[in-house]
Amino acid sequence: MVINRRAVNSPGPQGRGGTSGEFSRKLCRLDMAEAEIVEGCRLPVLRKNQENEVEWPLAEILSVKDLSAKKLFYVHYIDFNKRLDEWVTYDRLDLKKIQFPKKEAKTPTKNGLSGSRPSSPEREVDGFSTTGCKQEVLHPLTASRDLETRKITELILPPAAAPAGGGKSLPVPQKRKVEVVSPATPVPPAPETTQASVFPQNGASRRPSAPAVPAGRKRKSNCLSADEDSQDSSDGIPSAPRMTGSLVSDRSHDDIITRMKNIECIELGRHRLKPWYFSPYPQELTVLPVLYLCEFCLKYLKSLKCLQRHLTKCNLRHPPGNEIYRKGTISFFEIDGRKNKSYSQNLCLLAKCFLDHKTLYYDTDPFLFYIMTEYDSKGFHIVGYFSKEKESTEDYNVACILTLPPYQRRGYGKLLIEFSYELSKVEGKTGTPEKPLSDLGLLSYRSYWSQTILEILMDLKTETGESEISEITSIKKEDVISTLQYLNLINYYKGQYILTLSEDIVEGHERAMLKRILRIDSKCLHFTPKDWSKRGKW
């Protein structure tokens, strides 16, 4: 930004509304803006889209750091997925339209908790009062620090002892208990401990507790609405989420730590992966330029030399567990989260780098993991996986599902989905994935549902309803109906609803099926379902 500062000393009185003084005040405001870019500020940031075109989307500053005498800013692009967040340099910021966060609210809400949102913009620079450069500027740094301190105090102290207002204790219903530590803080392993020990036991790092639930039961998160972006509970107190391992993240607990990617790069076999989201690896590993993983046991190591030493001792050449499917080079392995806890926990840590809407609770005992691999002369290399509960009261046949980035857009995602429904057919059940789905997960499922249902409708010559489609495909009836509505196949004709296929839909389906080469062959599946309700503690 180049400004002709000589204009400030231009001759003449404050004519025509005080032009010289007004310009001086604007210059002062810009200088102040440059000096006070702190966490919570919002401003346009330069980036290039997929077409390599320059754009200036609004972004929020999440963190600021000094690197080699140069400031870097970690930005989240508003209305964009968090996987696009990045560190940017000073020259990519548009300071003309900077918005500072609001000052902390002094008036407590009805329950004694502050209702301020320090990351919300208060005003643009051009909205400053023109009484002169000495006008007090609301500095957001102190307010945000005080707010963070108070939030931590409120989380750690029992509700009745949490300070509010003038320091008096307010009576709070006893049912709203808080366990102790927020899960936002990465948990470093103690010296001389195994990798499994970095996972807090007995829910030590869980969020506010909920009433006890029988083993294997699910609990829905108590949010304002079904919208996955809902921010706060209605009374200002965080609502208790479900306490199972892959539940939906309660976004009101997001803080600066979990909103930022903490791993720079992961080396997994012959691939180097750039993580999309935060994952709670031990804190000392987050400062490394590359985190090394054994591609067979998924153990994480801090250097290439440590990895090479580990490979001389690691005897695994495939995921632990039973191989239940093989056709060509594609295999599926079934892994029990209780019997292979270390592998399952390492898998969850890796998956969290690419899954935003799921929260890890480290308790893998109630889950089964199905790992898809590609075979070559060196072994079975992980391509993707999905997990499912051993007992699901809500007919979930998938908890988390992920295709690793090097294998995306090659048909493996649909193959994972198809395999999950093939298992449901063997079990004699209909199934559905846990909600909400990620953006990529929703696209994959909607595409699979559409192709599967259209395939059934085109093959069957007799009249077919949604119940028959659900029974044949094991897709839950609600998903069948939503897909038919999405495809606009349901029409009202002569007093009843009928399914109609247009020529455009048929042609589009045929083109899509020509590209879908990878399919599950039920003859290659060797799977016997277990009745987990009769197996005690799994």
Side-chain angles (χ1 to χ4, degrees):
M1 182 184 301
V2 180
I3 300 176
N4 186 2
R5 298 177 182 266
R6 288 179 297 177
V8 177
N9 301 321
S10 58
Q14 305 286 332
R16 302 180 66 88
T19 305
S20 177
E22 189 175 324
F23 184 82
S24 176
R25 284 191 289 272
K26 285 185 178 180
L27 178 62
C28 182
R29 290 173 213 144
L30 291 174
D31 290 340
M32 292 162 65
E34 293 176 11
E36 295 182 357
I37 301 178
V38 295
E39 291 89 343
C41 290
R42 293 188 178 188
L43 71 171
V45 177
L46 174 66
R47 71 178 296 271
K48 291 187 177 181
N49 57 23
Q50 292 181 338
E51 288 74 28
N52 209 30
E53 298 172 346
V54 173
E55 57 184 9
W56 291 85
L58 183 66
E60 179 182 352
I61 305 292
L62 297 185
S63 183
V64 183
K65 71 177 180 181
D66 291 309
L67 187 65
S68 303
K70 182 173 68 173
K71 272 194 174 184
L72 294 178
F73 305 88
Y74 191 87
V75 299
H76 165 63
Y77 298 103
I78 308 300
D79 298 328
F80 286 74
N81 192 284
K82 285 201 299 186
R83 64 174 170 268
L84 299 178
D85 295 0
E86 59 180 336
W87 289 98
V88 300
T89 53
Y90 187 82
D91 56 344
R92 291 176 58 182
L93 307 179
D94 184 1
L95 299 177
K96 297 177 183 178
K97 299 180 181 179
I98 189 170
Q99 304 172 19
F100 289 106
K102 287 182 179 179
K103 189 176 181 181
E104 181 184 352
K106 298 292 184 180
T107 307
T109 57
K110 62 181 180 180
N111 53 21
L113 300 178
S114 172
S116 63
R117 298 289 295 275
S119 62
S120 302
E122 182 181 28
R123 70 231 179 273
E124 295 187 1
V125 174
D126 293 339
F128 276 47
S129 171
T130 55
T131 55
C133 286
K134 293 184 179 180
Q135 183 201 351
E136 180 184 0
V137 179
L138 301 178
H139 200 295
L141 186 57
T142 305
S144 61
R145 283 177 178 170
D146 292 343
L147 183 64
E148 289 175 7
T149 303
R150 190 153 72 198
K151 282 184 177 179
I152 293 171
T153 305
E154 290 164 358
L155 278 173
I156 297 178
L157 294 178
K168 295 181 180 181
S169 299
L170 295 179
V172 179
Q174 290 300 314
K175 67 179 181 178
R176 293 203 179 269
K177 292 184 179 179
V178 177
E179 281 196 355
V180 266
V181 186
S182 167
T185 306
V187 185
E192 303 298 323
T193 57
T194 62
Q195 286 195 341
S197 66
V198 306
F199 295 96
Q201 299 299 319
N202 301 322
S205 73
R206 293 182 180 179
R207 294 186 174 128
S209 63
V213 182
R217 297 296 294 274
K218 299 286 283 184
R219 182 185 303 278
K220 289 186 178 180
S221 58
N222 183 21
C223 297
L224 262 178
S225 66
D227 181 15
E228 57 190 69
D229 290 324
S230 57
Q231 295 286 331
D232 298 309
S233 59
S234 57
D235 57 358
I237 298 176
S239 55
R242 289 204 315 264
M243 303 310 291
T244 45
S246 63
L247 58 92
V248 178
S249 174
D250 181 0
R251 310 309 291 274
S252 63
H253 294 278
D254 278 358
D255 61 12
I256 295 301
I257 295 178
T258 58
R259 291 178 68 187
M260 294 172 54
K261 305 170 193 174
N262 59 334
I263 303 296
E264 185 68 27
C265 181
I266 292 177
E267 183 170 305
L268 180 68
R270 61 180 180 271
H271 300 291
R272 282 207 169 185
L273 315 177
K274 196 168 181 64
W276 295 350
Y277 307 110
F278 170 88
S279 183
Y281 279 102
Q283 193 170 11
E284 61 267 24
L285 301 181
T286 62
V287 298
L288 301 175
V290 179
L291 178 63
Y292 294 89
L293 266 63
C294 171
E295 64 176 325
F296 300 113
C297 71
L298 302 183
K299 181 178 180 180
Y300 45 83
L301 303 115
K302 63 181 181 179
S303 68
L304 182 59
K305 188 174 182 180
C306 291
L307 175 64
Q308 292 170 343
R309 189 185 304 120
H310 165 78
L311 290 176
T312 61
K313 305 173 185 177
C314 182
N315 297 321
L316 284 178
R317 287 300 174 265
H318 59 78
N322 299 323
E323 185 180 10
I324 61 174
Y325 179 90
R326 181 188 292 186
K327 184 177 182 180
T329 59
I330 302 296
S331 292
F332 279 86
F333 290 82
E334 182 185 53
I335 294 174
D336 190 327
R338 182 181 68 85
K339 295 180 180 178
N340 299 281
K341 184 170 291 189
S342 178
Y343 181 90
S344 302
Q345 291 173 341
N346 290 337
L347 176 64
C348 289
L349 285 174
L350 173 62
K352 186 62 184 71
C353 291
F354 307 100
L355 295 173
D356 182 31
H357 294 290
K358 302 294 182 182
T359 301
L360 290 173
Y361 280 91
Y362 313 115
D363 182 14
T364 61
D365 288 13
F367 289 88
L368 295 169
F369 298 84
Y370 295 90
I371 317 298
M372 180 168 64
T373 63
E374 249 187 2
Y375 174 76
D376 64 14
S377 58
K378 294 184 179 180
F380 295 81
H381 308 279
I382 182 171
V383 172
Y385 89 103
F386 69 88
S387 60
K388 63 184 291 186
E389 287 182 295
K390 295 175 180 176
E391 290 183 277
S392 176
T393 58
E394 301 177 57
D395 297 327
Y396 290 140
N397 65 351
V398 166
C400 292
I401 184 168
L402 171 69
T403 304
L404 292 175
Y407 299 96
Q408 290 178 0
R409 304 185 67 84
R410 292 166 57 180
Y412 289 117
K414 282 196 183 73
L415 199 67
L416 281 167
I417 297 172
E418 186 178 1
F419 189 78
S420 70
Y421 282 106
E422 202 65 41
L423 296 182
S424 296
K425 291 177 184 178
V426 177
E427 294 170 346
K429 301 176 182 178
T430 59
T432 186
E434 275 194 25
K435 310 295 191 306
L437 294 166
S438 66
D439 53 350
L440 297 179
L442 179 60
L443 289 173
S444 297
Y445 264 95
R446 184 169 283 169
S447 176
Y448 172 79
W449 289 333
S450 299
Q451 292 180 8
T452 303
I453 292 172
L454 287 173
E455 194 172 31
I456 294 296
L457 292 176
M458 293 173 64
D459 289 345
L460 293 177
K461 305 301 181 183
T462 59
E463 293 184 3
T464 306
E466 61 272 6
S467 299
E468 290 82 1
I469 296 174
S470 176
E471 186 176 344
I472 295 170
T473 61
S474 286
I475 300 174
K476 202 170 184 181
K477 187 175 178 180
E478 289 81 353
D479 296 330
V480 173
I481 294 173
S482 68
T483 304
L484 293 174
Q485 292 173 339
Y486 170 74
L487 295 172
N488 200 24
L489 300 184
I490 302 177
N491 293 284
Y492 191 74
Y493 180 72
K494 290 185 178 181
Q496 62 180 350
Y497 289 97
I498 61 172
L499 299 178
T500 57
L501 294 176
S502 66
E503 291 184 3
D504 292 340
I505 291 179
V506 172
E507 291 175 1
H509 170 70
E510 290 174 348
R511 287 195 301 269
M513 294 306 291
L514 290 175
K515 299 178 183 178
R516 188 173 166 185
I517 302 172
L518 296 174
R519 298 298 298 268
I520 294 295
D521 186 352
S522 59
K523 297 176 182 177
C524 300
L525 177 63
H526 304 281
F527 171 71
T528 303
K530 300 179 179 68
D531 187 358
W532 295 101
S533 62
K534 298 180 180 178
R535 299 176 72 90
K537 193 66 178 176
W538 305 303

